[in-house]
Structure formats: C-alpha cells, structure tokens
Amino acid sequence: MSGNFTLLDGLLVLLATGIAFVMLRPQVRDAAFWRATVTPLASIIGSGFLVVVPLLAGIAGPMSVLAIGAIVALSFWLGAAVRYNIVHDGRAPVPGAGRIVLTLERLSDIALAAAYVISITFYVRLMCSFVLAGIHTHSDFNADVLATLVLAFIGLYGWRRGLLGLERLEEYSVTIKLAIIAALLFGLAWHDVANGYDLSGLPMPDMSVWDTLRQLAGMVLIVQGFETSKYLDAQYDAPLRARSMLLAQVVAGVIYVAFVVLAMPLMGPLAHQSPDETAIIHLSGTITLVLPVMLVVAAAMSQFSAAIADTIGAGGVAEREVKGRISCQLCYPVITGLAIVLIWTANIFEVIALASRAFAFYYLLQALLAARLAWLRTELPRRRLVVGGFVALSLVMAFIVIFAEPVAA
C-alpha cells in the first residue's frame, strides 16, 4: 500500500463527496421514485458486491465477464416475472384464477419471509464481525452482542418511525455506499489505464463444466433483492414499484458488470484464495491509500442497508399475510426479535445456505405464478410465447434450487 496521499486519492475523495452531495439534495432524496428505488437497490448491492470478484476469480477466471453478464441477464429475467406479478396482483387475480394463484402467492410469501429473517441476521452479524475486526476487538460473543444491539435498534426505530423512517436510514447508507462504489470504479479504471489491461496472470480454473455451472447458479443470488419492491404496496402503487425495481436492477447490473470488467487485471492473486470481502479491500491498497478505508465503510454500509431493506421487505410480506390487520410498523420489532433469537441459537453462517435455497424457491414460485397469470389473460398478445418464457424461467430456477452451490450474498 502506498504510504503517501496522491492526486488519485484526492480525486477519489472529491468524487465520492460530490456524488453524495448530489444524491442527498432534497430534490433527489425526497423524490418518491428514488425512495422506492433505494430499498431494492440496497438489497441487491449487499455484501455480495465485494465478494463477487474473488468468487468469479476462482470459478470463471478470464471468462468472468461472460459469467457476470449471464448472472445479471438471469436476474433481469427473474425481475420481469416479479414485475409482471406486481402489475397483475396475484392477490386480486383475473377471473378464473382459482386456488392455484393464491396458493403460489402464499407459498412464495412464506418462503420469502423465512429467508428474509435469516438474511437480516446474516447481514447484521457479518457487519458486526467486520467492524470489530477492524478495531481489533473481535470475538464471537462481542459480535453477537453488537449484532443484538443493532437489530434491536432497527426494530425499535422501524416501530417508532415506520416505513419512511427506515427508508431514510437506508437512503443515507445507500448514498454513502454508491458514492464509494463510484470512487472504486474510477480508481480501478485509473489503474487499468496506467498499467495496461493485462489478464495473463488470471488462470482458467481447473474444474468441470458441471461444477462451474453449479457454482455460477449459486452466484445468481448475489443479485437477489429486487423482489422487495413487491412488498412496498403500503406506500407505492404498482406501476411505480415496477419501474423503480427496474431502475434498481439496471443500476446494480451496470455496477456489477463494470466492477468485474475493471477488476479483472487484479484478479490473478484471488484465484487461489478463499473468497471473502477483505480480499478486494486489501487488493485495493495496491492502487491508492484511501480506497481500503473507503471500502471498509462501504462494506459496513452495504450490510446495514441490505439488512434494513430486507426488514422492510419482511414487514411488507407480514402485512400482506395478515391482510393489513397489523401494520408493517408493528411487524418490524417482531422480525428483528426473531433475528436476535437466531443470533443466539444458531450458527448463522451455516443457516444462510438454507436462506439461499429459500430465495431460489421463491423465484421459482414467482415464475410459475407469472406463467399462470399470463395464461389467464386471454387478450395478451403472443400469450403462448410469454407463458413459455416464464415456464422456462421456472425450469432454470428448479435447477438452481436442486443443484446450485449456495453463495452467501
């Protein structure tokens, strides 16, 4: 790591500060469309952002650009199914839908609620371990205590301030995260231009095509989180939720692809390491002095904002299941209370694998639901093609549910 503050360091700080300033202006911060976008965006760019490069280094090597492109494309396909279900609400389906649609909705919500509680616990526990390690006070007990306090804060704050209060917390953390990510991408581009785009040090992994497909299938859940838009119906109408979810996916997709493309010349040393968030942070120290510090902040903000986003999503699921008899505001402390129980009764780093499969199962059910709703719309142009696309998507998700090697994201 360079020991001197350089021109690049100054440019990165100015860039991050400028972007944060623009995003926190009232015209942006208070716009309903942006507030609706922040929740899915926070969930998509969770802890998976910093681990995607080390993972792809060991799975796809020099083919990493194609791999991340395929993962993002599949996430857009999944997003199309969820957006279709948002616009054509399965809870108020077209005539003739019967029990099938309602059953698919109910099973989807149950799978998602369980996955959310686990992922909230995972995000907060990982954030606490990360922060405590940074100040050299980490132990499992200390991390559990700090995670309990953070979860209690989120639950009580959500209970007192409601959805808008949690969104405001989320908005600040997402702003910081996006500003730092922009600085990271600029720093990587600067490095690539200065040193040349050389991939000779990035080896092709020695694994079978089958194993590669299974691991890439597990990585699909790194770009999970856009479905949170579906459960913001207490605050935003269906067209706004569908459009804001698409924007969140576009922003996140561009960030993931750009990050992998720009980081590939640095991925060689990561190909033979166990993937973790600290790998890219340490590697960024070879570029400039300030990037590692900024990425530590970004990692903490990623996990915190993702935990809030999934808390919001879980509250929306719960409110739908009780048909509005209990507001999501009252559900937030219950959700974080369950997460606190998980902190002290389970190994969350083992349980997260179950959440990964639950998310995949949720998307499978959403694809089937979209196919059913499309089939019932007899006036739909090219109905068979649309239905066939959603059925094909459900088959892809069935493969992922059964065969994928889950990746914590």
Side-chain angles (χ1 to χ4, degrees), residues 292-369:
V293 178
M294 295 174 73
L295 288 180
V296 168
V297 176
M301 291 297 100
S302 292
Q303 291 145 12
F304 183 66
S305 60
I308 293 176
D310 285 0
T311 301
I312 291 172
V317 173
E319 187 176 31
R320 281 165 61 93
E321 284 301 310
V322 298
K323 297 180 172 61
R325 290 190 294 268
I326 301 175
S327 71
C328 57
Q329 191 165 339
L330 294 176
C331 294
Y332 297 141
V334 176
I335 292 162
T336 55
L338 292 173
I340 290 171
V341 172
L342 265 182
I343 285 285
W344 294 100
T345 60
N347 184 334
I348 193 60
F349 296 100
E350 294 177 358
V351 179
I352 192 63
L354 298 176
S356 295
R357 293 200 184 278
F359 278 124
F361 183 60
Y362 167 82
Y363 288 130
L364 165 61
L365 294 175
Q366 286 294 299
L368 291 173
L369 175 62

Side-chain angles (χ1 to χ4, degrees), residues 11-197:
L11 290 175
L12 296 182
V13 172
L14 286 174
L15 176 63
T17 303
I19 290 174
F21 176 78
V22 171
M23 292 179 65
L24 290 176
R25 288 175 63 84
Q27 298 94 319
V28 177
R29 184 187 65 205
D30 297 333
F33 185 71
W34 176 244
R35 292 203 315 269
T37 303
V38 163
T39 295
L41 186 58
S43 192
I44 298 170
I45 309 179
S47 60
F49 172 71
L50 291 180
V51 82
V52 67
V53 165
L55 280 169
L56 286 175
I59 297 173
M63 306 297 289
S64 293
V65 174
L66 294 178
I68 192 62
I71 289 168
V72 169
L74 179 54
S75 76
F76 274 92
W77 195 5
L78 290 168
V82 176
R83 284 191 295 277
Y84 192 89
N85 296 337
I86 288 174
V87 176
H88 305 92
D89 186 5
R91 297 280 177 165
V94 294
R99 292 184 176 274
I100 295 176
V101 168
L102 294 177
T103 300
L104 287 171
E105 279 281 29
R106 177 61 59 85
L107 288 175
S108 295
D109 288 352
I110 292 171
L112 188 62
Y116 272 151
V117 172
I118 296 172
S119 65
I120 292 163
T121 313
F122 173 75
Y123 284 135
V124 172
R125 180 60 169 75
L126 187 62
M127 179 190 73
C128 293
S129 295
F130 200 80
V131 170
L132 291 174
I135 57 176
H136 309 292
T137 57
H138 179 269
S139 71
D140 287 342
F141 179 77
N142 289 347
D144 288 345
V145 170
L146 182 57
T148 299
L149 294 175
V150 172
L151 287 166
F153 167 76
I154 293 173
L156 293 174
Y157 192 88
W159 173 54
R160 294 287 295 175
R161 299 295 182 91
L163 173 60
L164 291 178
L166 285 179
E167 281 184 336
R168 189 64 77 196
L169 274 182
E170 184 181 53
E171 206 166 19
Y172 283 111
S173 57
V174 167
T175 295
I176 294 170
K177 175 172 64 178
L178 290 179
I180 293 174
I181 287 173
L184 170 64
L185 297 180
F186 183 86
L188 288 171
W190 183 293
H191 175 273
D192 291 347
V193 170
N195 296 278
Y197 198 80

